[in-house]
Amino acid sequence: MSPTFLWYIPNTVDPGHRGDDAVDGYGTLDHSVELALTAERHGWSGALIGTGWGRPDTFTVATALAARTTTFQPLAAIRPGYWQPAHFASAAATLDRLSGGRLLINIVSGKDNLAAYGDVEGDQAHRYARTREFMRIARRLWTEEQVSYEGEHFSVTDSTVAPQPYGKGPRLYFGGASPAAEKVAATEADVQLFWGEPLEGVADRVARLRRLSGDLDRDLPPLEFGLRITTLVRDTTEEAWRDAEAKVADMAAHSASPDPLRRPAVGQQRLLDLAARGDILDSCLYTAPGRYGGGGAGTTWLVGSADDVAAALRKYADLGITHFVLSDTPYQRETARVGDALIHRLREPVPAV
C-alpha cells in the first residue's frame, strides 16, 4: 500500500502556535491558503486542520482551502456533539463532491469546552459510545437512502443525503488509546492515528487493534494505521540535536512548572510517562518536550538528519503504519523543508544490504 503523507495547519488566529512565526496576516485565509499551497508544492497529500472551540471553524476553513487548491486533501478534525450526525454527513458529502473527493475526516472524542456550544459532559464510556453511533450513522447516510436509526445517543428517520459523496464517503481517521476508544477504532474507523510512542508500544497497539477488529466482527475493510508526530529535520544529525535542545531549553524557560502537564486523556498520559524512561528512546525519539508543555503531537519529536528521521519512520512503516501526519514550526518553512527532505526518501525502495 502506498503511504500517505500529510502535514498540519494550526487553524488558530493567535500567532505563535508551538513556536510558529508571528508573521503578518497570521490566521487569515491568505495565510492558511499559502500553507496549503506550500504543502501541495512540496509533496504532501494534504494536511490535518485542528479543531477546538474558540478557534476558526475547521470545516469552514477546510472548505475554503479546498476551493483554493488543486490536489490538497484537508483532513478536517470534527467532534460529535458539536455536530449532529445527519448535519455532518450532509456537509461532508457536499464538500467531498465539490472538491472532487478530496475530503478526509479526523473524528475527535476528547474533551473540549462543551458547554460553550451547548454539548453535555459525559464519562468516557458515554463519549465513545456516542462517537461510535455518530460514525455508523454518517457511513450509512453516505451509502444508503431513506436511512432510519434509533440509538442511545442519536436518531434519524427516513434520512437521505444529497448530493452523495464519492465512493463510500470520506475516510474516517480516529485517535484514542483507552479500551473504549480502541473498540471504536476497531469497528468504525478507516485509520487509527497514534501519537509518537516508541516502536515497541506502537507494535503492541497495532497487534491489539487487529485482534480486536476480528473479535468484534468488523464489517469494514481492514483497519489502517497512522502516526501523528513532530519531526525536527536538519542537514546534519548534530545540527538537528543542537536545535532541538535549544527549542526545549526555550520551552523550559517559559514553562510555569518543570513538571509534566498531566491530562486525563489516556493517550496523552502515555506520552508524558515516556520521559521517565529517558530523553531519547529508540534511535531518535526525543521525549524531553513533554516535560515543558509540549502536548499531543508536540510531546515527542523525531530528531535528526533527513536520513535519520526517514530511517525512524521506515521502522514505523515496517509495523504497518501507512499514514504519516507530520509537522514542525515555523510551519511555512518546515512544510517545504521536511517535504523536500523526507517524502522522496520514504517513497524510494530501501536498497538491499
Side-chain angles (χ1 to χ4, degrees), residues 10 86 147 169 223-224 260 277 283 332:
V147 173
L223 181 63
E224 298 171 23
R277 295 168 50 183
S283 60
Q332 184 72 52

Side-chain angles (χ1 to χ4, degrees), residues 209-272:
L209 282 161
R210 284 175 170 161
R211 288 195 302 270
L212 195 58
S213 293
D215 293 344
L216 296 176
D217 296 323
R218 176 184 174 88
D219 60 1
L220 298 171
L223 181 63
E224 298 171 23
F225 303 98
L227 181 70
R228 171 74 187 101
I229 194 169
T230 295
T231 47
L232 194 150
V233 179
R234 298 293 185 267
D235 291 338
T236 67
T237 303
E238 294 74 20
E239 182 187 0
W241 281 106
R242 185 168 62 247
D243 284 2
E245 289 167 356
K247 274 192 169 187
V248 168
D250 185 65
M251 291 168 65
H254 293 90
S255 176
S257 168
D259 295 323
L261 178 62
R262 298 291 163 177
R263 295 185 175 96
V266 172
Q268 179 65 74
Q269 193 60 57
R270 285 169 66 99
L271 291 187
L272 292 170

Side-chain angles (χ1 to χ4, degrees), residues 146-218:
Q146 300 300 113
V147 173
S148 293
Y149 180 95
E150 184 68 38
E152 181 182 353
H153 305 281
F154 299 113
S155 64
V156 295
T157 303
D158 295 332
S159 183
T160 300
V161 163
Q164 293 249 301
Y166 284 93
K168 295 185 178 180
R171 308 203 76 197
L172 299 181
Y173 289 63
F174 181 75
S178 68
E182 290 189 337
K183 288 180 180 178
V184 175
T187 55
E188 304 298 335
D190 293 303
V191 181
Q192 164 74 37
L193 284 176
F194 303 129
W195 277 331
E197 295 187 41
L199 294 163
E200 180 182 8
V202 170
D204 288 345
R205 293 192 64 197
V206 167
R208 184 166 63 251
L209 282 161
R210 284 175 170 161
R211 288 195 302 270
L212 195 58
S213 293
D215 293 344
L216 296 176
D217 296 323
R218 176 184 174 88

Side-chain angles (χ1 to χ4, degrees), residues 16 18 53 63 81 83 86 98 109 121-122 131 157 169 190 235 256 260 287 307 325 327 337:
R18 289 186 178 155
W53 187 252
T63 302
W83 291 87
L98 292 175
S109 286
E121 188 66 68
T131 297
T157 303
D190 293 303
D235 291 338
T287 68
D307 286 337
V325 186
S327 65
R337 185 213 297 266

